[in-house]
Amino acid sequence: MSHKEPIIQGKFTMQKMPMKGGWTYVLLPPKHHKTGLPFGWFVVKGSIDNVELNQYKLWPTADNKLFLPINAQIRKKIKKGEGDSVEIDLYEDQSEVMIPDDFLLCLDESPLAKHHFEKMSSTSQKQYIDYVFSAKSMKTKANRLTKTIQKLEKGLKYHEKDETL
């Protein structure tokens, strides 16, 4: 995956927040440095039980550990949940955000949306891309892409609400 040494490697136990809808996650050792990213995020690539991760965010905790959220898509691929052990190999990821051709074509058709998108941080860009391309059906993907272009035309970030949509 990388020629560099992993920043984190080993077996870890998956945990789950004890509430309805609680996140499944792994707490990792504090082997990191200040990144300059919002909230102290640390961007990594690597794998969880051989499922590839790219541009994945770790979050620092109050006790200086790293919080690795494990979403449903990954849990389904590895067929594991709370209490199970997972093999994790992580490397620092400083790669550029990969923008799919479909997304670029839509941006090219809306210069205003493209202008706002290009001014956003890579984190904000990735939020939009992940939202659109995590859709399971083409219809949902098309709807999400339309809404994304509309929000971008208004200069809104992914998490900002558009009351007109």
Side-chain angles (χ1 to χ4, degrees), residues 10-48:
K11 279 200 177 285
F12 300 90
T13 302
M14 293 173 56
Q15 301 177 49
K16 185 172 169 106
M17 293 180 177
M19 63 187 87
K20 185 177 179 174
W23 291 28
T24 303
Y25 63 95
V26 171
L27 283 178
L28 302 169
K31 294 184 178 180
H32 63 290
H33 55 80
K34 298 255 185 245
T35 63
L37 294 174
F39 313 109
W41 287 331
F42 195 81
V43 182
V44 296
K45 60 184 173 183
S47 64
I48 299 176

Side-chain angles (χ1 to χ4, degrees), residues 5-88:
E5 288 291 313
I7 57 169
I8 296 172
Q9 186 174 45
K11 279 200 177 285
F12 300 90
T13 302
M14 293 173 56
Q15 301 177 49
K16 185 172 169 106
M17 293 180 177
M19 63 187 87
K20 185 177 179 174
W23 291 28
T24 303
Y25 63 95
V26 171
L27 283 178
L28 302 169
K31 294 184 178 180
H32 63 290
H33 55 80
K34 298 255 185 245
T35 63
L37 294 174
F39 313 109
W41 287 331
F42 195 81
V43 182
V44 296
K45 60 184 173 183
S47 64
I48 299 176
D49 280 359
N50 296 316
V51 172
E52 187 175 345
L53 302 176
N54 287 299
Q55 296 177 332
Y56 212 82
K57 286 188 187 64
L58 304 179
W59 310 337
T61 62
D63 59 354
N64 206 29
K65 291 184 179 171
L66 291 170
F67 179 89
L68 172 67
I70 304 178
N71 63 32
Q73 184 179 14
I74 293 171
R75 291 193 311 272
K76 286 178 187 173
K77 285 181 181 178
I78 64 175
K79 296 179 173 65
K80 292 186 178 178
E82 179 183 12
D84 292 330
S85 289
V86 289
E87 185 70 35
I88 296 178

Side-chain angles (χ1 to χ4, degrees), residues 62-142:
D63 59 354
N64 206 29
K65 291 184 179 171
L66 291 170
F67 179 89
L68 172 67
I70 304 178
N71 63 32
Q73 184 179 14
I74 293 171
R75 291 193 311 272
K76 286 178 187 173
K77 285 181 181 178
I78 64 175
K79 296 179 173 65
K80 292 186 178 178
E82 179 183 12
D84 292 330
S85 289
V86 289
E87 185 70 35
I88 296 178
D89 293 293
L90 298 177
Y91 303 81
E92 189 171 357
D93 189 353
Q94 296 179 338
S95 63
E96 294 291 318
V97 173
M98 301 298 290
I99 304 172
D101 289 340
D102 294 351
F103 199 90
L104 286 173
L105 289 172
C106 289
L107 288 175
D108 286 341
E109 291 183 19
S110 175
L112 184 58
K114 185 174 185 174
H115 169 77
H116 289 300
F117 183 78
E118 289 175 345
K119 292 213 174 276
M120 290 182 171
S121 69
S122 60
T123 297
S124 293
Q125 290 176 348
K126 188 167 180 341
Q127 285 176 317
Y128 270 126
I129 292 166
D130 288 350
Y131 166 68
V132 170
F133 292 93
S134 65
K136 291 183 175 77
S137 73
M138 289 301 291
K139 181 179 178 183
T140 302
K141 186 186 297 184

